[in-house]
């Protein structure tokens, strides 16, 4: 990223978040650069709940300090080739804020203004954990995650791997997530594998899709989403999937829900396609209600 781009962000080292505080989170939207446990810089955006803004407009009294940030923060994990500034991500963030939550959005490594290269769901767990810990450092007593497509696989794995740590979460929603790795059963997934595994494909990813992809294969292969699900309980878990998803057929969400042993909630959405671009306002409102009330 250019030095001009770097000036838009404030650097936060998440390894020492407990000793860092930068103003009142209620002052308005804030952009920072987080640093993950493996040293990658991740761009992130914090937006306070729209409810406090509404309260100020109606009553003339702003909610400030600890009371304003004690509620839920929703951390949004985008899909492959997305970023914090993509319109679909911003639309989801607005919808969640309107349901009374503060919202943290960020760009995974290799995406947007973040550093590093995409590992397509493996080390992205570290990016999400940095964002979750930042939300807790800002004072939020309850932090929940929602992820779309690749981000859906990441929120599942992160919830399983960060149990009992500062990166723990209080509820998880995975939208359009795969159940297993290396799936090539649909044409869009075969194209995605070409982009990820072939040199020419990675050039298309970098210059056509604005996504920088690591050329190295997974070693070892990370815990799969379906293997992660049984480890999440008792944290509330929601699986959401469209019946017109062109990437992953309905056996993926059904497999994920079944792995929860009855503890996972499953929403199969009629007419919905894939990930954040296919999530309409009504679904986002229901998701926001679930995330803030579970």
């Amino acid at each position: 990223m250019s030095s001009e781009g770097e000036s838009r962000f404030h650097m936060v080292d998440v390894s020492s978040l407990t000793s860092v505080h930068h103003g009142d989170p209620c002052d308005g939207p804030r952009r920072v650069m987080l640093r993950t446990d493996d040293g990658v810089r991740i761009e992130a955006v914090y937006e306070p709940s729209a409810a406090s803004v509404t309260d100020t407009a109606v009553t003339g009294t702003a909610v400030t300090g600890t009371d304003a940030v004690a509620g839920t923060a929703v951390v949004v994990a985008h899909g492959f080739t997305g970023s914090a500034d993509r319109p679909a991500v911003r639309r989801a963030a607005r919808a969640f804020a309107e349901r009374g939550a503060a919202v943290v959005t960020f760009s995974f490594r290799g995406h947007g203004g973040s550093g590093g290269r995409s590992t397509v769901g493996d080390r992205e767990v570290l990016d999400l954990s940095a964002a979750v810990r930042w939300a807790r450092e800002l004072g939020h007593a309850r932090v929940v995650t929602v992820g779309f497509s690749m981000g859906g696989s990441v929120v599942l794995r992160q919830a399983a791997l960060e149990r009992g740590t500062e990166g723990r979460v209080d509820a998880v929603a995975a939208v359009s997530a795969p159940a297993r790795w290396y799936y090539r059963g649909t044409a869009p997934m075969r194209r995605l594998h070409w982009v990820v595994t072939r040199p020419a494909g990675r050039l298309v990813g970098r210059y056509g899709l604005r996504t920088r992809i690591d050329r190295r294969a997974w070693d070892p292969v990370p815990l799969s989403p379906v293997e992660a699900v049984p480890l999440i309980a008792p944290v509330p878990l929601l699986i959401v999937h469209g019946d017109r998803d062109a990437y992953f057929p309905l056996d993926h969400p059904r497999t994920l829900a079944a792995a929860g042993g009855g503890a996972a909630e499953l929403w199969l959405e009629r007419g919905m396609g894939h990930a954040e671009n296919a999530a309409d306002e009504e679904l986002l409102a229901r998701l926001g209600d679930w995330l803030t009330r579970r």
Side-chain angles (χ1 to χ4, degrees):
M1 183 166 55
S2 69
S3 58
E4 180 180 359
E6 287 177 354
S7 67
R8 297 166 54 219
F9 300 96
H10 184 87
M11 289 295 296
V12 179
D13 185 347
V14 298
S15 66
S16 59
L17 275 176
T18 55
S19 64
V20 178
H21 186 76
H22 302 284
D24 189 340
C26 303
D27 290 342
R30 299 169 55 198
R31 282 183 176 264
V32 301
M33 291 295 288
L34 307 176
R35 192 180 301 278
T36 67
D37 284 346
D38 63 344
V40 176
R41 297 184 305 168
I42 301 298
E43 66 172 350
V45 182
Y46 174 85
E47 296 170 273
S49 166
S52 61
V53 176
T54 302
D55 290 343
T56 301
V58 172
T59 68
T61 302
V63 181
T64 59
T66 303
D67 290 342
V69 296
T72 298
V74 177
V75 181
V76 181
H78 63 75
F80 184 62
T81 75
S83 75
D85 290 324
R86 288 291 177 89
V89 175
R90 301 273 30 100
R91 181 166 55 88
R94 287 193 300 271
F96 300 147
E98 288 170 358
R99 313 312 286 184
V103 182
V104 173
T105 51
F106 67 97
S107 299
F108 281 121
R109 61 187 61 204
H111 294 72
S114 293
R117 295 177 184 271
S118 174
T119 62
V120 200
D122 180 9
R123 299 188 72 79
E124 282 74 9
V125 167
L126 301 177
D127 308 345
L128 177 58
S129 290
V132 168
R133 293 198 301 271
W134 184 45
R136 292 203 182 278
E137 190 271 342
L138 288 171
H140 288 282
R142 186 172 181 274
V143 180
V144 302
T145 55
V146 56
F148 298 88
S149 192
M150 179 187 78
S153 72
V154 174
V155 298
L156 294 173
R157 296 181 56 244
Q158 193 269 350
L161 296 171
E162 291 278 20
R163 292 170 302 166
T165 74
E166 292 182 355
R168 71 192 181 281
V169 296
D170 298 290
V172 186
V175 183
S176 304
R180 53 193 180 274
W181 302 136
Y182 304 113
Y183 179 72
R184 292 178 170 86
T186 59
M189 284 306 297
R190 289 190 288 274
R191 289 194 294 269
L192 185 147
H193 278 276
W194 177 81
V195 168
V196 170
T197 62
R198 304 297 294 272
R202 290 191 291 273
L203 282 174
V204 170
R206 184 179 184 94
Y207 296 106
L209 303 174
R210 293 179 291 177
T211 302
R212 305 173 305 281
I213 305 165
D214 198 317
R215 64 179 177 80
R216 294 170 293 183
W218 288 341
D219 184 21
V221 175
L223 182 77
S224 72
V226 72
E227 292 171 323
V229 166
L231 306 177
I232 295 174
V235 172
L237 171 61
L238 173 64
I239 306 296
V240 182
H241 212 90
D243 66 0
R244 293 187 181 178
D245 192 311
Y247 287 78
F248 304 114
L250 292 178
D251 66 300
H252 284 260
R254 288 170 175 152
T255 299
L256 290 171
E265 192 171 342
L266 175 62
W267 296 355
L268 296 180
E269 299 296 312
R270 181 175 299 178
M272 179 186 171
H274 185 69
E276 58 262 51
N277 289 324
D280 62 22
E281 298 296 336
E282 189 273 336
L283 173 58
L284 292 172
R286 279 192 286 126
L287 268 172
D289 286 339
W290 189 92
L291 289 163
T292 55
R293 297 175 184 176
R294 291 295 294 182

